[in-house]
Amino acid sequence: MATVVYKVGNDISTDVIYPGRFMATVLPSETPLLAFADDAAFNAKLKAKQIPPGSVLLGGQNFGCGSSREQAVSCLKGHELIIVAKSFARIFLQNAINLGLRVVTCPNIEANVGDELEISATAVTNKSSGKEFFLVSLPKSRQAIIDAGGLIPFTRKRLLEGAQTTR
Amino acid sequence: MTTVEKILARASGLPSVKVGDVVEPKVDLAMSHENAALVINQFNEIYKGTNLTPKIWDASRVAVIFDHRVPAESAKTASNQKKVREFVGVQSVTKFHDIRGDVGGICHQILPENGYVRPGAVIVGTDSHTTSHGALGAFAFGIGATEMASVWALGVAVNVEVPPTIKVVVKGRFKKFVGAKDLILHLVGKLTAQGANFKVLEFHGPTIKQMNTSSRLTLCNMAVEAGATAGIVPADLETERYLREEAGVAEPIDFVASDQDAVYEQVIEINVAKLTPQIACPHTVDNVKPIDAVVGKKVHQVVIGSCTNGRLDDLAIAAKIMKGKKVSQGTRMLIFPASGKVFRQALAKGYVGAFMQAGAVVMNSGCGPCLGIHEGALGDGETALSTTNRNFKGRMGNPNSEVYLCSPAVAAASAITGVITNPQGGTN
Ligand code: SF4
């Protein structure tokens, strides 16, 4: 069971998730402190570790639009949030898969802060309202990256396989 | 097949591909800017625990351009840039553009300007506006830093889903002071910020045929603001002219075009004959209104530049409007040419002098205020009018400010009056 801790609207850009002025900060150990930096209240809660890992950040449509900055993913991954959104922008979705941030596309989701969600392979159930919403599963090829533990181990494996065949 | 399907099929060594197929195209060009610092971290991470030495698969296909924070605004940025500089030296990356007046500039200007972009190529960049390069008939899209690290290691993009294509057919003649920027703002407003998510926008029609490459770059640059994976103008005679005359490319050019029976997800027709200047209002790029809706709005800062509208023809139209006039008291005007080359051309043509005489500040080439990192941040409650491509909350360095987006002509006319002004006047 995962609790919805925060809810945002449509078209939340990576500038909102991770403001451009912090782009010189790149380390995954530092970016989580700057998640939603301009949203003082939420940022403070995150920084104070008041939000338990595995909590849900509920997004609307086109979550993560705009800049390709990967800090927008690593800053959320650092808090082990699960992002449930009606839809994701392409680069954000791919970055999330590459870094192992859990993202769930659930086009009709209805939930509020405080609701408890149960996420299965095919649906999200809002235990608080009793309603169930189908989710869009990821294409198989992306699952392969997730199964490998992210794009870095996936690429490492491919490199080693390649190194072997040319030997 | 569509142009992008053909490019992907060839780069993936397949006779054909269709929408939804997952392919692994070979990458022709892999571009990064300062975020190469993060790519380097991830790249080294890939090699951890193996006994292989980190080595870029083909250094001649990698480009690194410093533009986002130039010259460095902080010790942290300077140290990141130093690290990247050392790395490109060790890896023998020759397409490296440091902070320089001769070869420097914004990445999306440097790539076409130097002939690095070719029709039919697969181009990836750690920047969402990599879509720009579709203007020369390439399939160009933005990726994250980890994905770039994977490309550096393997030379392929490992997870590309063949996107559906929306065909955009543009007809009609633009009115005076209306152009590519107004067209793309109009289209983004129509499609919404997610209307083309995961899709390609392929531009056609007589208006596009007559458009120069600079304007096509403006169009494809902002395709991503409708969520598009890529924008593309299939290569034609204008592409060839640009590559030969402006980019100095001598090699044969490969014209990849969509088949007659190519399948499109949707066809959108636009007639620009009646289009007026368009403005994207705060805080989303798709909040687009005809200029009449916002005429008279006070602006504290006017910005002309960026990868969207910082090229010579953008500066030419602004200089024409500004010549002999003054920037309104209470309004600042910042102009940043897209590259050192553009800057030098603008100097030679007298534009820079005209801007400065008028009271504008001409800044070094780079991203400048576009993403609010070091130069040209806004004060609380201030309003900017800018030829850049994003107006998200906080984009120009301050969440308590607003950014309106427009064409260079509108920006120049408004700098003189201090309020949003239609350059067409009341008579057109
Ligand atoms: S000018 Fe602006 S949009 Fe273009 S690359 Fe630089 S920061 Fe990005």
Side-chain angles (χ1 to χ4, degrees):
Chain A
M1 206 83 79
T3 314
V4 178
V5 290
Y6 202 52
K7 186 173 173 175
V8 293
N10 295 336
D11 302 318
I12 292 298
S13 73
T14 53
D15 278 273
V16 171
I17 303 168
Y18 193 90
R21 60 184 188 279
F22 302 124
M23 263 162 72
T25 300
V26 298
L27 294 177
S29 54
E30 295 174 2
T31 59
L33 297 173
L34 299 164
F36 285 87
D38 289 334
D39 184 336
F42 186 48
N43 175 264
K45 272 193 196 163
L46 286 169
K47 271 204 298 216
K49 305 233 180 283
Q50 284 169 11
I51 291 178
S55 299
V56 169
L57 169 58
L58 192 67
Q61 291 174 354
N62 207 23
F63 186 87
C65 62
S67 157
S68 62
R69 71 188 65 146
E70 206 162 270
Q71 290 97 322
V73 169
S74 72
C75 74
L76 301 176
K77 166 79 184 161
H79 297 289
E80 290 298 340
L81 291 172
I82 303 169
I83 318 299
V84 179
K86 291 185 175 163
S87 65
F88 290 91
R90 181 185 64 86
I91 304 176
F92 184 92
L93 183 72
Q94 188 72 52
N95 285 344
I97 290 158
N98 293 344
L99 291 187
L101 171 69
R102 192 152 171 225
V103 284
V104 179
T105 306
C106 190
N108 304 318
I109 183 79
E110 287 169 20
N112 291 307
V113 172
D115 288 0
E116 297 286 334
L117 306 184
E118 195 173 81
I119 304 166
S120 76
T122 52
V124 177
T125 310
N126 185 337
K127 289 285 178 187
S128 307
S129 68
K131 286 191 191 157
E132 187 179 290
F133 308 93
F134 79 96
L135 61 81
V136 182
S137 47
L138 292 165
K140 276 210 185 71
S141 60
R142 297 215 168 98
Q143 195 58 47
I145 295 175
I146 294 170
D147 294 344
L151 186 61
I152 286 183
F154 180 90
T155 302
R156 187 183 294 135
K157 193 161 152 257
R158 287 280 297 267
L159 255 185
L160 290 170
E161 285 165 7
Q164 245 143 34
T165 47
T166 49
R167 212 176 280 156
Chain B
M1 284 188 285
T2 65
T3 307
V4 165
E5 287 162 359
K6 283 188 181 175
I7 294 172
L8 280 175
R10 193 171 55 186
S12 310
L14 299 166
S16 70
V17 297
K18 58 178 194 314
V19 171
D21 288 357
V22 176
V23 293
E24 279 197 4
K26 281 196 183 129
V27 169
D28 295 295
L29 185 69
M31 185 278 294
S32 293
H33 44 73
E34 276 96 333
N35 61 15
L38 180 49
V39 181
I40 293 168
N41 287 353
Q42 302 297 70
F43 184 61
N44 289 332
E45 201 60 39
I46 291 171
Y47 289 81
K48 270 219 183 110
T50 73
N51 43 27
L52 305 169
T53 316
K55 181 102 195 81
I56 287 179
W57 99 104
D58 181 350
S60 72
R61 295 189 183 278
V62 168
V64 175
I65 296 110
F66 288 161
D67 57 2
H68 274 56
R69 303 181 295 266
V70 294
E73 90 295 359
S74 67
K76 195 167 201 173
T77 292
S79 302
N80 278 346
Q81 288 170 346
K82 177 170 173 246
K83 172 175 156 179
V84 174
R85 208 172 275 125
E86 284 162 7
F87 177 87
V88 297
V90 169
Q91 295 281 340
S92 309
V93 171
T94 50
K95 294 183 169 79
F96 171 54
H97 294 254
D98 209 330
I99 305 164
R100 295 176 62 104
D102 52 356
V103 297
I106 304 175
C107 58
H108 304 307
Q109 178 62 17
I110 293 301
L111 257 49
E113 197 174 272
N114 288 279
Y116 299 166
V117 180
R118 304 295 171 81
V122 173
I123 299 178
V124 293
T126 43
D127 189 280
S128 56
H129 293 106
T130 301
T131 54
S132 303
H133 311 294
L136 291 109
F139 177 47
F141 58 102
I143 62 175
T146 303
E147 196 165 351
M148 183 57 85
S150 177
V151 169
W152 281 3
L154 302 173
V156 296
V158 291
N159 200 313
V160 176
E161 215 169 309
V162 178
T165 297
I166 298 175
K167 183 177 186 177
V168 182
V169 183
V170 188
K171 296 181 184 143
R173 253 187 75 147
F174 286 115
K175 283 201 234 175
K176 196 173 181 195
F177 295 127
V178 181
K181 183 62 168 284
D182 304 292
L183 168 59
I184 190 66
L185 286 176
H186 173 70
L187 183 63
V188 170
K190 206 170 141 124
L191 286 168
T192 79
Q194 52 171 320
N197 207 356
F198 291 89
K199 296 169 192 172
V200 172
L201 294 176
E202 187 182 301
F203 295 98
H204 288 273
T207 314
I208 306 294
K209 275 266 161 273
Q210 285 174 15
M211 231 180 226
N212 66 13
T213 299
S214 173
S215 291
R216 293 174 180 183
L217 282 162
T218 305
L219 274 189
C220 293
N221 176 271
M222 288 194 70
V224 70
E225 305 311 331
T229 301
I232 193 164
V233 180
D236 61 8
L237 291 175
E238 159 59 19
T239 319
E240 182 171 23
R241 182 205 64 79
Y242 178 89
L243 286 171
R244 300 273 184 252
E245 291 174 17
E246 297 191 39
V249 171
E251 296 98 83
I253 290 165
D254 190 3
F255 294 89
V256 186
S258 298
D259 292 327
Q260 285 294 328
D261 60 355
V263 180
Y264 295 98
E265 193 203 68
Q266 193 189 342
V267 179
I268 296 174
E269 292 199 10
I270 297 178
N271 191 325
V272 297
K274 292 208 173 89
L275 194 69
T276 56
Q278 303 284 301
I279 309 279
C281 301
H283 294 287
T284 55
V285 185
D286 60 359
N287 186 15
V288 176
K289 296 182 180 150
I291 192 165
D292 285 349
V294 285
V295 157
K297 166 97 194 155
K298 164 83 187 161
V299 291
H300 304 90
Q301 178 162 299
V302 174
V303 175
I304 295 184
S306 85
C307 53
T308 318
N309 283 119
R311 280 175 288 276
L312 194 65
D313 48 352
D314 300 313
L315 301 184
I317 193 162
K320 200 170 154 200
I321 293 171
M322 306 279 308
K323 200 164 184 209
K325 304 267 176 33
K326 284 284 180 195
V327 173
S328 170
Q329 292 297 334
T331 300
R332 313 176 287 276
M333 186 181 206
L334 311 179
I335 299 180
F336 59 121
S339 70
K341 182 177 175 185
V342 171
F343 200 132
R344 283 178 276 116
Q345 287 172 332
L347 261 178
K349 296 227 176 228
Y351 304 157
V352 173
F355 292 140
M356 292 178 76
Q357 286 281 337
V361 176
V362 183
M363 295 147 65
N364 65 295
S365 300
C367 299
C370 176
L371 78 167
I373 290 182
H374 67 315
E375 303 164 296
L378 296 170
D380 287 340
E382 284 194 328
T383 297
L385 180 66
S386 175
T387 69
T388 52
N389 49 33
R390 284 194 175 136
N391 60 353
F392 302 146
K393 206 164 199 238
R395 175 77 181 182
M396 221 168 256
N398 186 343
N400 305 312
S401 65
E402 320 185 289
V403 179
Y404 290 74
L405 305 177
C406 68
S407 70
V410 170
S414 306
I416 296 164
T417 57
V419 296
I420 295 180
T421 300
N422 188 341
Q424 297 172 321
T427 52
N428 211 325

